[in-house]
Amino acid sequence: MTIQVTRLDNGLTVASDTMDRVETVSLGAWVGVGTRHEPAEINGVAHLLEHMAFKGTQRRSAYQIAEEIEAVGGHLNAYTSRESTAYYAKVLAENAPLAVDIVADILQHPTFDEDELTRERAVVLQEIGQAHDTPDDSIFDHFQETAFPGQALGRPVLGTSEIVSGIDRQTLSDYMTRHYGTETMVLAAAGKIEHERFLELVSEAFDALPRGAAGTLEPASYRGGDYREGRELEQVHVLLGFESIGYLDDDYYAASVLSTLFGGGMSSRLFQEVRERRGLAYSVYSFVSSYRDGGLFGIYAGTGEGEAAALIPVICDELGKLATEVREEEVTRARTQLKASILMGLESTGTRCEKMAQHILIYGRPLPVEEIVAKIEAADLAAVRRVAERLANGHPTLASLGPIAQVEDFARVVARLG
């Protein structure tokens, strides 16, 4: 792996990972702002801006943007998260100049045409409606809001229909001017491209960015609690979780190992006990969501109305065993799963590009894979048990959606976990 990083005089960070044995390049701009940087009154602006960046520039119409990238067999996409926004492309190596030019164009010269904004707002409103109609999606927003109520970290990435309907052209332009700048952006590429060539392309194309600023993050303040919504659905969707740890915590990798052994695969404790032995759910898994200053550890399950009463007690019982009954062989297997996932990802230009950019945003530098593997290896039995004890002492968050009459009372759940 040949990763190189250069910080330009204007503050823009440019990183590349040269892969000589592939014929493609994945590249893009990762911006260190997301939903957490939005004032409550314009929640959803980061996501709407991500959509509108593709809807025309001073040089290209929305159709021309799509036509040019697809004419060379490439693809262009974007996503918004709570702490970052990404705009990226994948093309054959010979078309890297075009991809850089298009990404630079949409981020520096968007027109935010009023007609396009009217149409795209309608598209995003449909996306919000679709998320609402997808219970195993919307339950995560309710879980997040219950864990971090009244905070930027608890608000939905898509925003709400009421707020998004009122976001106008000037609001988009002001948000982009304020936050999209050289100090908040990483330009990254992985694949068949040399660093000096990528540096040259970026320096030429990104000539109109302001300095920009991410702004001050509202500190995360976990609260927890209970959210219940009765709906006529075939399944009850349940999310039970706790305050967890951030990217910069020494136990970050130990938390990932714990989540993997607890609910990260078919051999995990949750899968074996909840699905294989008891048949209480088709889908059940655990996860860790980490942020700069905190995180969430959660367990999701979708179950039938008749099985809902038994589900949470079983999950609570399994959680209770974590701090004392985790075995060495489970930790070893989970570490191997994590390492394999990381090493397999090295075969993808897209994965390498994204991880490199995200590491720079979070840690200020790309993390060598050897360092990551070493940190996973250091997550031994003692470290995993330590994280389990940290979780065991926390106040829970419970979100349930669907025919919830048989979902156990929150006070009883708290007592079980106590």
Side-chain angles (χ1 to χ4, degrees):
M1 203 170 359
T2 55
I3 294 178
Q4 291 180 266
V5 181
T6 299
R7 188 174 175 85
L8 301 179
D9 291 340
N10 65 0
L12 189 63
T13 299
V14 182
S16 67
D17 182 356
T18 302
M19 303 165 64
D20 291 329
R21 296 186 179 182
V22 299
E23 297 299 327
T24 62
V25 176
S26 292
L27 59 85
W30 273 259
V31 191
V33 292
T35 309
R36 286 192 72 179
H37 299 85
E38 300 171 346
E41 62 272 16
I42 55 171
N43 174 218
V45 67
H47 175 254
L48 181 59
L49 173 57
E50 171 223 309
H51 277 244
M52 283 303 299
F54 295 90
K55 296 306 170 183
T57 71
Q58 296 169 14
R59 293 165 47 203
R60 295 175 171 97
S61 67
Y63 176 73
Q64 286 172 326
I65 292 170
E67 180 186 43
E68 286 187 35
I69 196 74
E70 292 183 359
V72 297
H75 62 81
L76 187 67
N77 212 333
Y79 66 81
T80 305
S81 71
R82 288 186 163 82
E83 294 187 331
S84 65
T85 309
Y87 302 82
Y88 57 94
K90 184 169 184 175
V91 291
L92 296 175
E94 64 199 59
N95 301 124
L98 173 65
V100 171
D101 185 63
I102 291 176
V103 172
D105 196 20
I106 66 175
L107 294 182
Q108 294 179 117
H109 309 293
T111 56
F112 299 139
D113 178 80
E114 291 285 5
D115 290 338
E116 289 285 358
L117 178 55
T118 298
R119 283 191 290 270
E120 203 58 28
R121 257 198 312 251
V123 170
V124 172
L125 292 175
Q126 292 177 47
E127 186 179 359
I128 293 171
Q130 179 176 306
H132 179 269
D133 290 344
T134 310
D136 55 346
D137 187 356
S138 63
I139 189 69
F140 282 84
D141 279 341
H142 297 308
F143 176 71
Q144 190 84 17
E145 184 178 11
T146 305
F148 299 102
Q151 302 169 56
L153 192 54
R155 292 193 280 270
V157 171
L158 300 183
T160 65
S161 297
E162 295 75 17
I163 293 175
V164 171
S165 295
I167 295 177
D168 59 19
R169 181 181 185 278
Q170 191 61 50
T171 302
L172 288 172
S173 179
D174 289 346
Y175 183 88
M176 189 173 209
T177 300
R178 186 163 59 251
H179 293 304
Y180 278 45
T182 58
E183 299 287 347
T184 63
M185 194 176 295
V186 174
L187 269 295
K192 194 171 185 178
I193 191 167
E194 296 297 328
H195 184 71
E196 292 304 318
R197 176 56 174 154
F198 184 51
L199 200 60
E200 178 185 350
L201 292 173
V202 170
S203 298
E204 291 177 357
F206 284 84
D207 60 353
L209 282 176
R211 282 277 175 175
T216 303
L217 278 181
E218 177 186 43
S221 178
Y222 176 87
R223 305 287 177 78
D226 187 32
Y227 174 89
R228 294 170 187 243
E229 181 182 338
R231 277 204 223 169
E232 292 186 10
L233 300 171
E234 290 297 319
Q235 280 199 312
V236 182
H237 299 268
V238 175
L239 252 173
L240 175 64
F242 309 86
E243 182 178 17
S244 186
I245 58 184
Y247 292 117
L248 305 178
D249 194 292
D250 290 340
D251 281 332
Y252 170 71
Y253 287 98
S256 297
V257 171
L258 176 67
S259 179
T260 300
L261 72 85
F262 188 60
M266 293 174 62
S267 64
S268 68
R269 289 187 167 210
L270 277 180
F271 192 93
Q272 286 297 311
E273 187 65 29
V274 173
R275 175 170 164 165
E276 296 297 280
R277 295 192 183 99
R278 297 176 183 263
L280 292 176
Y282 170 72
S283 178
V284 59
Y285 58 86
S286 63
F287 61 91
V288 176
S289 296
S290 291
Y291 310 104
R292 291 182 180 275
D293 54 350
L296 292 170
F297 174 86
I299 300 118
Y300 165 82
T303 190
E305 183 176 5
E307 290 75 28
L311 175 66
I312 291 180
V314 171
I315 292 175
C316 290
D317 287 346
E318 290 302 310
L319 281 166
K321 299 173 185 177
L322 272 181
T324 58
E325 297 186 16
V326 174
R327 303 185 304 276
E328 184 69 56
E329 58 268 27
E330 291 180 286
V331 175
T332 300
R333 183 173 65 241
R335 284 200 306 252
T336 301
Q337 285 179 260
L338 283 175
K339 287 188 295 183
S341 175
I342 290 168
L343 295 174
M344 288 178 184
L346 295 178
E347 299 175 4
S348 163
T349 60
T351 298
R352 286 167 73 149
C353 182
E354 179 179 26
K355 292 299 182 186
M356 179 171 56
Q358 291 285 10
H359 286 167
I360 293 172
L361 288 177
I362 295 166
Y363 304 107
R365 65 184 179 90
L367 300 185
V369 67
E370 296 83 5
E371 180 179 340
I372 296 172
V373 169
K375 289 182 177 182
I376 293 172
E377 288 288 3
D380 57 13
L381 179 60
V384 170
R385 284 182 172 173
R386 181 172 63 247
V387 172
E389 289 171 359
R390 289 175 66 173
L391 296 175
N393 294 326
H395 183 63
T397 298
L398 177 63
S400 54
L401 176 63
I404 59 173
Q406 299 302 313
V407 175
E408 192 166 59
D409 179 76
F410 184 64
R412 179 61 179 152
V413 175
V414 173
R416 284 184 183 278
L417 294 167

